[in-house]
Amino acid sequence: DALPIFIVQTLKGPTSGANANKVIIPSGQTLECASAVVAPGSILQTATDAPGGQVTSTSTTYADSNVSLTVTSTQANSKFVLSFTVGVSPSSHPAMNIKLVRRISGSDSELSSSRIQRANNTSSGDADRHGCFTLIDAPAQPAGTSITYIVQFATTGEGVQVRINDNSNSSIYLMEIAG
């Protein structure tokens, strides 16, 4: 004998009583789903990278660094928790600018920016530093969207060289969270 098939759009528990607003699966029974059930706040994916190789600039105009990560969103309207540590060296100049941008379909949106000051280092003109970003981004995009998070950098003094990944390495960590 074939079991009956019920087609249900919505399951809803009773609105009052001891089990108000609950749908209960009795002990010894299981609920089988053909695809994953994702609760808000669930981690959908993680990604990490530790790019190597030095990148330099002498321009006050922001340029892409090699510190970036590209992911494809797995759910519409999810959020992304990002943590970047950027190894920088402002050379003999007192500071450099860095910013984190989100790039979707060639369009950039600035998420955060910082000025990194050089520490006094009397033995040489260089002083390595780390710039750190930790933030939550909610790009409001459909599932399947390719999103690149990238650090851009610029010198604060025209013609003065600044470096990413000179003697200090950078790292990127990302979590996609269900909305």
Side-chain angles (χ1 to χ4, degrees), residues 85-117:
T85 300
V86 184
V88 299
S89 183
S91 189
S92 60
H93 196 67
M96 69 182 288
N97 294 321
I98 60 174
K99 67 179 178 179
L100 177 61
V101 299
R102 174 197 335 114
R103 184 171 292 155
I104 298 175
S105 301
S107 179
D108 289 358
S109 298
E110 182 177 324
L111 302 177
S112 184
S113 64
S114 181
R115 176 173 282 200
I116 312 259
Q117 296 293 131

Side-chain angles (χ1 to χ4, degrees), residues 16-169:
S16 62
N19 294 313
N21 301 314
K22 293 181 183 177
V23 174
I24 298 172
I25 307 299
S27 177
Q29 302 295 306
T30 60
L31 177 64
E32 187 174 312
C33 299
S35 61
V37 175
V38 179
S42 298
I43 298 173
L44 302 173
Q45 69 171 313
T46 62
T48 187
D49 193 20
Q54 184 185 96
V55 182
T56 64
S57 178
T58 57
S59 175
T60 56
T61 301
Y62 281 98
D64 289 354
S65 73
N66 61 346
V67 182
S68 68
L69 190 61
T70 300
V71 295
T72 300
S73 61
T74 61
Q75 190 180 71
N77 300 317
S78 55
K79 295 178 180 165
F80 294 88
V81 177
L82 300 149
S83 182
F84 282 71
T85 300
V86 184
V88 299
S89 183
S91 189
S92 60
H93 196 67
M96 69 182 288
N97 294 321
I98 60 174
K99 67 179 178 179
L100 177 61
V101 299
R102 174 197 335 114
R103 184 171 292 155
I104 298 175
S105 301
S107 179
D108 289 358
S109 298
E110 182 177 324
L111 302 177
S112 184
S113 64
S114 181
R115 176 173 282 200
I116 312 259
Q117 296 293 131
R118 181 177 67 88
N120 277 340
N121 184 343
T122 57
S123 63
S124 74
D126 295 345
D128 295 329
R129 291 289 207 204
H130 283 94
C132 300
F133 296 99
T134 300
L135 56 93
I136 298 173
D137 182 35
Q141 295 293 315
T145 301
S146 179
I147 304 170
T148 298
Y149 292 98
I150 188 163
V151 172
Q152 295 181 336
F153 69 117
T155 186
T156 57
E158 189 63 51
V160 177
Q161 186 182 74
V162 291
R163 301 182 292 270
I164 300 279
N165 286 338
D166 185 14
N167 295 316
S168 300
N169 292 327

